[in-house]
Amino acid sequence: MASAEGQVIEKVETYAVSGRTGPELYASIGARGPLLAGKVRSIAHTSFRLTWQRDYQQRGTACVLASAKPKLVLTTVLPKASGPLEEPVRGNWQRFVEGVTAHEKVHGTYIRELVKEIEKATIGLAVENDPGCRKIREKMQPILGEISRAERRKSRDFDAVEMNDGGAVHQLVLQLVNGG
């Protein structure tokens, strides 16, 4: 089986939040945070764009995916205070952003794992009686769909734990809002 050795590009974007206190900063996050599915604001978000250079080869009557080289672009959107903060808010804000960044890094790890799962499930895949390599693409679609659904479930489950009462992100919010 060929190794894919692709390219990963990581981007960090920020959006401005304003306020001098923890509650003001958090209210600004609620008003300006990234929209998920065009509906719900979030504190931060990690998204990705994944493209492939795939080498399909005819081997006899079969079509084989000989190699697949991914290009993954991970984009994380984080809040950034638009002005200087005074202590203790500055320290609380810094801990909050560091914690949210750590949370988003886990999502990035899940996405990288998704790429590895796709490689594992598809490189070397062969379909007999497939001149022109059309059937193999059709055969890959349900495989890719299941891998993608599994990553989304894992990500949602992680968010549910982290944002639930007592979860890490919930604690970060409480420390920001109640600490200054």
Side-chain angles (χ1 to χ4, degrees), residues 130-162:
D130 188 13
C133 292
R134 286 185 177 78
K135 293 178 189 175
I136 194 168
R137 289 173 171 88
E138 291 173 22
K139 185 174 181 175
M140 283 176 47
Q141 290 311 307
I143 296 168
L144 299 174
E146 182 50 41
I147 292 169
S148 180
R149 284 188 294 278
E151 185 276 331
R152 286 194 304 270
R153 275 191 305 273
K154 189 175 180 180
S155 189
R156 279 193 309 268
D157 291 349
F158 174 66
D159 280 344
V161 169
E162 290 271 294

mmCIF file of all heavy atoms in Angstrom, residues 130-162:
data_model
loop_
_atom_site.group_PDB
_atom_site.id
_atom_site.type_symbol
_atom_site.label_atom_id
_atom_site.label_comp_id
_atom_site.label_asym_id
_atom_site.label_seq_id
_atom_site.Cartn_x
_atom_site.Cartn_y
_atom_site.Cartn_z
ATOM 1 N N ASP A 130 -13.723 -2.765 -14.290
ATOM 2 C CA ASP A 130 -13.963 -1.321 -14.210
ATOM 3 C C ASP A 130 -13.052 -0.555 -15.175
ATOM 4 O O ASP A 130 -12.187 0.220 -14.752
ATOM 5 C CB ASP A 130 -13.745 -0.842 -12.774
ATOM 6 C CG ASP A 130 -14.176 0.607 -12.571
ATOM 7 O OD1 ASP A 130 -14.862 1.166 -13.450
ATOM 8 O OD2 ASP A 130 -13.814 1.186 -11.531
ATOM 9 N N PRO A 131 -13.258 -0.754 -16.487
ATOM 10 C CA PRO A 131 -12.476 0.048 -17.433
ATOM 11 C C PRO A 131 -12.919 1.507 -17.312
ATOM 12 O O PRO A 131 -14.096 1.803 -17.182
ATOM 13 C CB PRO A 131 -12.842 -0.544 -18.791
ATOM 14 C CG PRO A 131 -14.163 -1.200 -18.584
ATOM 15 C CD PRO A 131 -14.206 -1.644 -17.141
ATOM 16 N N GLY A 132 -11.961 2.393 -17.292
ATOM 17 C CA GLY A 132 -12.279 3.813 -17.143
ATOM 18 C C GLY A 132 -12.395 4.264 -15.699
ATOM 19 O O GLY A 132 -12.583 5.448 -15.428
ATOM 20 N N CYS A 133 -12.301 3.340 -14.768
ATOM 21 C CA CYS A 133 -12.281 3.656 -13.326
ATOM 22 C C CYS A 133 -13.494 4.480 -12.883
ATOM 23 O O CYS A 133 -13.362 5.469 -12.165
ATOM 24 C CB CYS A 133 -10.975 4.341 -12.941
ATOM 25 S SG CYS A 133 -9.540 3.263 -13.062
ATOM 26 N N ARG A 134 -14.681 4.070 -13.275
ATOM 27 C CA ARG A 134 -15.896 4.761 -12.833
ATOM 28 C C ARG A 134 -16.526 4.078 -11.622
ATOM 29 O O ARG A 134 -16.980 4.732 -10.698
ATOM 30 C CB ARG A 134 -16.893 4.831 -13.981
ATOM 31 C CG ARG A 134 -16.505 5.842 -15.035
ATOM 32 C CD ARG A 134 -17.602 5.967 -16.102
ATOM 33 N NE ARG A 134 -17.289 6.982 -17.089
ATOM 34 C CZ ARG A 134 -16.446 6.836 -18.083
ATOM 35 N NH1 ARG A 134 -15.771 5.715 -18.217
ATOM 36 N NH2 ARG A 134 -16.245 7.815 -18.950
ATOM 37 N N LYS A 135 -16.561 2.759 -11.658
ATOM 38 C CA LYS A 135 -17.196 2.002 -10.571
ATOM 39 C C LYS A 135 -16.474 2.197 -9.241
ATOM 40 O O LYS A 135 -17.104 2.213 -8.186
ATOM 41 C CB LYS A 135 -17.244 0.515 -10.916
ATOM 42 C CG LYS A 135 -18.153 0.171 -12.060
ATOM 43 C CD LYS A 135 -18.081 -1.324 -12.339
ATOM 44 C CE LYS A 135 -18.799 -1.692 -13.616
ATOM 45 N NZ LYS A 135 -18.615 -3.136 -13.924
ATOM 46 N N ILE A 136 -15.155 2.335 -9.283
ATOM 47 C CA ILE A 136 -14.395 2.481 -8.039
ATOM 48 C C ILE A 136 -14.794 3.760 -7.304
ATOM 49 O O ILE A 136 -14.886 3.775 -6.078
ATOM 50 C CB ILE A 136 -12.868 2.418 -8.281
ATOM 51 C CG1 ILE A 136 -12.129 2.235 -6.940
ATOM 52 C CG2 ILE A 136 -12.365 3.645 -9.030
ATOM 53 C CD1 ILE A 136 -10.677 1.887 -7.086
ATOM 54 N N ARG A 137 -15.060 4.814 -8.049
ATOM 55 C CA ARG A 137 -15.477 6.074 -7.419
ATOM 56 C C ARG A 137 -16.822 5.888 -6.727
ATOM 57 O O ARG A 137 -17.037 6.399 -5.626
ATOM 58 C CB ARG A 137 -15.516 7.187 -8.460
ATOM 59 C CG ARG A 137 -14.130 7.614 -8.938
ATOM 60 C CD ARG A 137 -14.244 8.620 -10.099
ATOM 61 N NE ARG A 137 -12.988 9.213 -10.462
ATOM 62 C CZ ARG A 137 -12.135 8.702 -11.341
ATOM 63 N NH1 ARG A 137 -12.384 7.553 -11.924
ATOM 64 N NH2 ARG A 137 -11.011 9.329 -11.629
ATOM 65 N N GLU A 138 -17.726 5.177 -7.383
ATOM 66 C CA GLU A 138 -19.028 4.895 -6.777
ATOM 67 C C GLU A 138 -18.872 4.037 -5.528
ATOM 68 O O GLU A 138 -19.556 4.246 -4.536
ATOM 69 C CB GLU A 138 -19.940 4.193 -7.784
ATOM 70 C CG GLU A 138 -20.382 5.075 -8.935
ATOM 71 C CD GLU A 138 -21.149 4.286 -10.001
ATOM 72 O OE1 GLU A 138 -21.697 3.208 -9.684
ATOM 73 O OE2 GLU A 138 -21.192 4.767 -11.147
ATOM 74 N N LYS A 139 -17.976 3.063 -5.582
ATOM 75 C CA LYS A 139 -17.750 2.173 -4.438
ATOM 76 C C LYS A 139 -17.168 2.943 -3.252
ATOM 77 O O LYS A 139 -17.428 2.606 -2.090
ATOM 78 C CB LYS A 139 -16.822 1.035 -4.832
ATOM 79 C CG LYS A 139 -16.652 0.012 -3.723
ATOM 80 C CD LYS A 139 -15.854 -1.187 -4.174
ATOM 81 C CE LYS A 139 -15.748 -2.184 -3.031
ATOM 82 N NZ LYS A 139 -15.082 -3.406 -3.441
ATOM 83 N N MET A 140 -16.381 3.977 -3.533
ATOM 84 C CA MET A 140 -15.752 4.756 -2.466
ATOM 85 C C MET A 140 -16.741 5.647 -1.727
ATOM 86 O O MET A 140 -16.545 5.922 -0.537
ATOM 87 C CB MET A 140 -14.614 5.619 -3.035
ATOM 88 C CG MET A 140 -13.360 4.839 -3.313
ATOM 89 S SD MET A 140 -12.043 5.812 -4.107
ATOM 90 C CE MET A 140 -11.992 7.286 -3.155
ATOM 91 N N GLN A 141 -17.788 6.116 -2.382
ATOM 92 C CA GLN A 141 -18.683 7.099 -1.780
ATOM 93 C C GLN A 141 -19.276 6.652 -0.441
ATOM 94 O O GLN A 141 -19.224 7.409 0.529
ATOM 95 C CB GLN A 141 -19.771 7.516 -2.770
ATOM 96 C CG GLN A 141 -19.253 8.352 -3.925
ATOM 97 C CD GLN A 141 -18.375 9.508 -3.490
ATOM 98 O OE1 GLN A 141 -18.765 10.317 -2.653
ATOM 99 N NE2 GLN A 141 -17.168 9.581 -4.028
ATOM 100 N N PRO A 142 -19.856 5.454 -0.336
ATOM 101 C CA PRO A 142 -20.389 5.064 0.979
ATOM 102 C C PRO A 142 -19.298 4.895 2.038
ATOM 103 O O PRO A 142 -19.526 5.171 3.217
ATOM 104 C CB PRO A 142 -21.109 3.738 0.719
ATOM 105 C CG PRO A 142 -20.847 3.361 -0.687
ATOM 106 C CD PRO A 142 -20.174 4.496 -1.386
ATOM 107 N N ILE A 143 -18.120 4.479 1.615
ATOM 108 C CA ILE A 143 -16.997 4.341 2.555
ATOM 109 C C ILE A 143 -16.628 5.718 3.108
ATOM 110 O O ILE A 143 -16.489 5.908 4.322
ATOM 111 C CB ILE A 143 -15.784 3.687 1.861
ATOM 112 C CG1 ILE A 143 -16.122 2.261 1.436
ATOM 113 C CG2 ILE A 143 -14.545 3.729 2.764
ATOM 114 C CD1 ILE A 143 -15.100 1.634 0.488
ATOM 115 N N LEU A 144 -16.485 6.683 2.219
ATOM 116 C CA LEU A 144 -16.137 8.045 2.629
ATOM 117 C C LEU A 144 -17.231 8.648 3.497
ATOM 118 O O LEU A 144 -16.951 9.341 4.485
ATOM 119 C CB LEU A 144 -15.881 8.918 1.405
ATOM 120 C CG LEU A 144 -14.731 8.483 0.498
ATOM 121 C CD1 LEU A 144 -14.673 9.354 -0.743
ATOM 122 C CD2 LEU A 144 -13.413 8.491 1.239
ATOM 123 N N GLY A 145 -18.471 8.389 3.136
ATOM 124 C CA GLY A 145 -19.599 8.915 3.909
ATOM 125 C C GLY A 145 -19.593 8.403 5.333
ATOM 126 O O GLY A 145 -19.800 9.175 6.285
ATOM 127 N N GLU A 146 -19.352 7.113 5.514
ATOM 128 C CA GLU A 146 -19.344 6.542 6.870
ATOM 129 C C GLU A 146 -18.176 7.082 7.689
ATOM 130 O O GLU A 146 -18.333 7.398 8.869
ATOM 131 C CB GLU A 146 -19.308 5.019 6.832
ATOM 132 C CG GLU A 146 -19.345 4.383 8.209
ATOM 133 C CD GLU A 146 -20.461 4.898 9.113
ATOM 134 O OE1 GLU A 146 -21.597 5.111 8.642
ATOM 135 O OE2 GLU A 146 -20.191 5.104 10.314
ATOM 136 N N ILE A 147 -17.019 7.221 7.078
ATOM 137 C CA ILE A 147 -15.864 7.768 7.799
ATOM 138 C C ILE A 147 -16.154 9.205 8.219
ATOM 139 O O ILE A 147 -15.859 9.605 9.350
ATOM 140 C CB ILE A 147 -14.585 7.684 6.931
ATOM 141 C CG1 ILE A 147 -14.185 6.216 6.735
ATOM 142 C CG2 ILE A 147 -13.439 8.478 7.558
ATOM 143 C CD1 ILE A 147 -13.110 6.000 5.688
ATOM 144 N N SER A 148 -16.763 9.971 7.348
ATOM 145 C CA SER A 148 -17.103 11.366 7.654
ATOM 146 C C SER A 148 -18.143 11.447 8.770
ATOM 147 O O SER A 148 -18.018 12.256 9.698
ATOM 148 C CB SER A 148 -17.621 12.047 6.385
ATOM 149 O OG SER A 148 -17.961 13.373 6.647
ATOM 150 N N ARG A 149 -19.173 10.612 8.700
ATOM 151 C CA ARG A 149 -20.200 10.609 9.753
ATOM 152 C C ARG A 149 -19.595 10.228 11.105
ATOM 153 O O ARG A 149 -19.956 10.808 12.136
ATOM 154 C CB ARG A 149 -21.343 9.671 9.392
ATOM 155 C CG ARG A 149 -22.271 10.250 8.326
ATOM 156 C CD ARG A 149 -23.508 9.394 8.106
ATOM 157 N NE ARG A 149 -23.194 8.081 7.540
ATOM 158 C CZ ARG A 149 -22.988 7.852 6.247
ATOM 159 N NH1 ARG A 149 -23.052 8.846 5.376
ATOM 160 N NH2 ARG A 149 -22.733 6.623 5.816
ATOM 161 N N ALA A 150 -18.675 9.280 11.114
ATOM 162 C CA ALA A 150 -18.026 8.866 12.363
ATOM 163 C C ALA A 150 -17.218 10.015 12.970
ATOM 164 O O ALA A 150 -17.258 10.229 14.187
ATOM 165 C CB ALA A 150 -17.128 7.651 12.122
ATOM 166 N N GLU A 151 -16.518 10.771 12.124
ATOM 167 C CA GLU A 151 -15.747 11.922 12.626
ATOM 168 C C GLU A 151 -16.682 12.972 13.202
ATOM 169 O O GLU A 151 -16.418 13.538 14.268
ATOM 170 C CB GLU A 151 -14.887 12.524 11.501
ATOM 171 C CG GLU A 151 -13.968 13.646 11.956
ATOM 172 C CD GLU A 151 -14.622 15.015 12.021
ATOM 173 O OE1 GLU A 151 -15.561 15.277 11.262
ATOM 174 O OE2 GLU A 151 -14.181 15.828 12.865
ATOM 175 N N ARG A 152 -17.792 13.247 12.529
ATOM 176 C CA ARG A 152 -18.752 14.247 13.040
ATOM 177 C C ARG A 152 -19.362 13.801 14.370
ATOM 178 O O ARG A 152 -19.527 14.615 15.276
ATOM 179 C CB ARG A 152 -19.826 14.548 11.999
ATOM 180 C CG ARG A 152 -19.287 15.404 10.846
ATOM 181 C CD ARG A 152 -20.374 16.005 9.986
ATOM 182 N NE ARG A 152 -21.299 15.045 9.421
ATOM 183 C CZ ARG A 152 -21.165 14.428 8.246
ATOM 184 N NH1 ARG A 152 -20.109 14.684 7.503
ATOM 185 N NH2 ARG A 152 -22.064 13.593 7.818
ATOM 186 N N ARG A 153 -19.682 12.513 14.488
ATOM 187 C CA ARG A 153 -20.216 11.993 15.760
ATOM 188 C C ARG A 153 -19.195 12.172 16.880
ATOM 189 O O ARG A 153 -19.536 12.615 17.984
ATOM 190 C CB ARG A 153 -20.573 10.510 15.638
ATOM 191 C CG ARG A 153 -21.937 10.223 15.092
ATOM 192 C CD ARG A 153 -22.327 8.745 15.249
ATOM 193 N NE ARG A 153 -21.378 7.812 14.673
ATOM 194 C CZ ARG A 153 -21.381 7.401 13.398
ATOM 195 N NH1 ARG A 153 -22.297 7.853 12.560
ATOM 196 N NH2 ARG A 153 -20.481 6.552 12.965
ATOM 197 N N LYS A 154 -17.958 11.811 16.600
ATOM 198 C CA LYS A 154 -16.884 11.927 17.589
ATOM 199 C C LYS A 154 -16.719 13.378 18.030
ATOM 200 O O LYS A 154 -16.579 13.673 19.215
ATOM 201 C CB LYS A 154 -15.590 11.384 16.974
ATOM 202 C CG LYS A 154 -14.441 11.237 17.910
ATOM 203 C CD LYS A 154 -13.278 10.574 17.140
ATOM 204 C CE LYS A 154 -12.064 10.384 17.973
ATOM 205 N NZ LYS A 154 -10.975 9.750 17.220
ATOM 206 N N SER A 155 -16.759 14.284 17.069
ATOM 207 C CA SER A 155 -16.614 15.708 17.356
ATOM 208 C C SER A 155 -17.791 16.232 18.186
ATOM 209 O O SER A 155 -17.599 16.970 19.160
ATOM 210 C CB SER A 155 -16.486 16.478 16.037
ATOM 211 O OG SER A 155 -16.148 17.807 16.282
ATOM 212 N N ARG A 156 -19.009 15.841 17.813
ATOM 213 C CA ARG A 156 -20.196 16.263 18.576
ATOM 214 C C ARG A 156 -20.164 15.706 19.990
ATOM 215 O O ARG A 156 -20.500 16.405 20.951
ATOM 216 C CB ARG A 156 -21.477 15.809 17.874
ATOM 217 C CG ARG A 156 -21.909 16.696 16.736
ATOM 218 C CD ARG A 156 -23.330 16.388 16.281
ATOM 219 N NE ARG A 156 -23.568 14.980 16.015
ATOM 220 C CZ ARG A 156 -23.423 14.389 14.826
ATOM 221 N NH1 ARG A 156 -23.035 15.089 13.785
ATOM 222 N NH2 ARG A 156 -23.665 13.101 14.684
ATOM 223 N N ASP A 157 -19.763 14.436 20.135
ATOM 224 C CA ASP A 157 -19.683 13.834 21.466
ATOM 225 C C ASP A 157 -18.657 14.559 22.335
ATOM 226 O O ASP A 157 -18.898 14.803 23.525
ATOM 227 C CB ASP A 157 -19.323 12.350 21.365
ATOM 228 C CG ASP A 157 -20.442 11.505 20.771
ATOM 229 O OD1 ASP A 157 -21.581 12.008 20.614
ATOM 230 O OD2 ASP A 157 -20.162 10.329 20.433
ATOM 231 N N PHE A 158 -17.530 14.915 21.747
ATOM 232 C CA PHE A 158 -16.502 15.668 22.468
ATOM 233 C C PHE A 158 -17.050 17.015 22.920
ATOM 234 O O PHE A 158 -16.893 17.403 24.084
ATOM 235 C CB PHE A 158 -15.270 15.846 21.572
ATOM 236 C CG PHE A 158 -14.202 16.735 22.147
ATOM 237 C CD1 PHE A 158 -13.494 16.360 23.278
ATOM 238 C CD2 PHE A 158 -13.894 17.939 21.538
ATOM 239 C CE1 PHE A 158 -12.503 17.179 23.800
ATOM 240 C CE2 PHE A 158 -12.904 18.764 22.054
ATOM 241 C CZ PHE A 158 -12.208 18.383 23.188
ATOM 242 N N ASP A 159 -17.720 17.735 22.017
ATOM 243 C CA ASP A 159 -18.300 19.028 22.381
ATOM 244 C C ASP A 159 -19.328 18.877 23.499
ATOM 245 O O ASP A 159 -19.379 19.706 24.419
ATOM 246 C CB ASP A 159 -18.960 19.689 21.168
ATOM 247 C CG ASP A 159 -17.952 20.368 20.256
ATOM 248 O OD1 ASP A 159 -16.801 20.602 20.685
ATOM 249 O OD2 ASP A 159 -18.323 20.665 19.108
ATOM 250 N N ALA A 160 -20.140 17.838 23.428
ATOM 251 C CA ALA A 160 -21.166 17.638 24.453
ATOM 252 C C ALA A 160 -20.536 17.486 25.834
ATOM 253 O O ALA A 160 -21.012 18.061 26.816
ATOM 254 C CB ALA A 160 -22.021 16.422 24.115
ATOM 255 N N VAL A 161 -19.446 16.734 25.922
ATOM 256 C CA VAL A 161 -18.762 16.546 27.203
ATOM 257 C C VAL A 161 -18.103 17.847 27.651
ATOM 258 O O VAL A 161 -18.228 18.261 28.802
ATOM 259 C CB VAL A 161 -17.707 15.415 27.103
ATOM 260 C CG1 VAL A 161 -16.798 15.387 28.328
ATOM 261 C CG2 VAL A 161 -18.395 14.074 26.906
ATOM 262 N N GLU A 162 -17.418 18.507 26.749
ATOM 263 C CA GLU A 162 -16.672 19.726 27.088
ATOM 264 C C GLU A 162 -17.586 20.892 27.474
ATOM 265 O O GLU A 162 -17.207 21.726 28.285
ATOM 266 C CB GLU A 162 -15.806 20.153 25.896
ATOM 267 C CG GLU A 162 -14.645 19.224 25.614
ATOM 268 C CD GLU A 162 -13.406 19.611 26.384
ATOM 269 O OE1 GLU A 162 -12.835 20.680 26.128
ATOM 270 O OE2 GLU A 162 -12.996 18.812 27.237
#
